[in-house]
């Protein structure tokens, strides 16, 4: 309880005495105000979803990578993705995103995320004045994550040690224009030519 500092011992003793003092009696309305204030303060300092939060962790990750400068690092002959429509129905189209061969693996790099980004508003939904399933420019329509060997992170486990460039396939709403985009483990982001579904 003693200190060489002039007030150190007194401050410690005062703090110790305060800690042992009985809790003061608060009226129910004052207690409610303090409880509400504490809850508000806790909410104010708790982590908040980022402004780009959309659907889930994978799409949010793609959206954050999409904010980076594109098509500058690496060789376009190795990193430029391209998309094509594999099949098309009345409401959705199956789109496949591929990479050149040889691709990033030949540069001791690999693609860890591939996504399709929308290019415009979905006019059909917006014409009805509803917000349900509305698609805004630059949002992630679909995303896939990949292991260093090119196999999808989600899916059946493979025992193969061979590596290949990843291929991403997803169903996307028809009538949209989408861009294929990739992110590599080295941090390169490449955006390919758009296709209309």
């Amino acid at each position: 309880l003693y200190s060489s500092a002039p007030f150190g011992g007194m401050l410690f003793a005062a703090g110790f005495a305060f800690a042992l003092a009985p809790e003061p009696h608060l009226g129910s309305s004052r207690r409610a105000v303090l409880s509400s204030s504490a809850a508000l303060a806790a909410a104010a300092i708790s982590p908040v979803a980022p402004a780009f939060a959309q659907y889930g962790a994978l799409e949010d990750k793609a959206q954050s990578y999409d904010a980076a400068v594109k098509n500058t690092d690496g060789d376009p002959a190795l990193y430029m993705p391209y998309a094509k429509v594999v099949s098309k129905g009345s409401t959705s189209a199956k789109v496949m995103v591929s990479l050149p061969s040889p691709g990033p693996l030949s540069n001791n790099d690999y693609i860890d995320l591939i996504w399709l980004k929308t290019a415009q508003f979905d006019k059909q939904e917006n014409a009805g004045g509803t917000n349900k399933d509305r698609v805004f420019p630059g949002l992630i329509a679909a995303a896939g994550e990949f292991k260093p060997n090119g196999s999808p992170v989600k899916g059946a486990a493979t025992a193969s040690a061979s590596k290949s460039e990843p291929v991403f396939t997803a169903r996307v709403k028809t009538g949209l224009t989408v861009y294929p985009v990739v992110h590599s483990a080295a941090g390169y982001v490449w955006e390919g030519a758009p296709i209309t579904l």
Side-chain angles (χ1 to χ4, degrees):
L1 293 174
Y2 293 86
S3 170
S4 60
F7 298 107
M10 289 189 327
L11 291 176
F12 177 76
F16 185 71
F18 179 74
L20 295 176
E23 182 180 341
H25 176 67
L26 300 175
S28 61
S29 63
R30 188 165 175 203
R31 186 178 305 272
V33 168
L34 289 174
S35 295
S36 298
S37 298
L40 182 60
I45 61 172
S46 66
V48 192
F52 56 79
Q54 289 184 54
Y55 313 108
L58 192 56
E59 289 81 2
D60 292 341
K61 188 184 216 180
Q63 189 72 39
S64 68
Y65 288 155
D66 196 69
V69 176
K70 297 175 194 67
N71 302 359
T72 57
D73 296 321
D75 184 354
L78 301 177
Y79 289 92
M80 184 66 72
Y82 57 94
K84 69 177 184 177
V85 176
V86 177
S87 64
K88 190 172 181 178
S90 60
T91 59
S92 68
K94 188 174 184 179
V95 180
M96 183 172 72
V97 179
S98 302
L99 288 148
S101 184
L105 289 173
S106 67
N107 195 33
N108 293 323
D109 194 6
Y110 69 94
I111 298 300
D112 57 6
L113 195 62
I114 299 176
W115 64 96
L116 291 165
K117 176 177 75 170
T118 63
Q120 84 271 352
F121 283 97
D122 179 353
K123 297 180 183 94
Q124 181 181 12
E125 289 294 332
N126 290 335
T130 67
N131 288 329
K132 186 179 180 200
D133 297 328
R134 205 158 107 175
V135 179
F136 294 94
L139 292 187
I140 308 305
E145 196 167 23
F146 297 88
K147 299 176 186 174
N149 67 358
S151 64
V153 169
K154 289 185 179 178
T158 58
S160 173
S162 66
K163 293 182 175 184
S164 63
E165 300 299 342
V167 175
F168 175 61
T169 306
R171 286 218 160 266
V172 181
K173 195 173 188 179
T174 55
L176 296 177
T177 298
V178 293
Y179 291 84
V181 190
V182 298
H183 178 269
S184 78
Y188 304 160
V189 180
W190 282 84
E191 181 176 286
I195 60 168
T196 300
L197 309 176

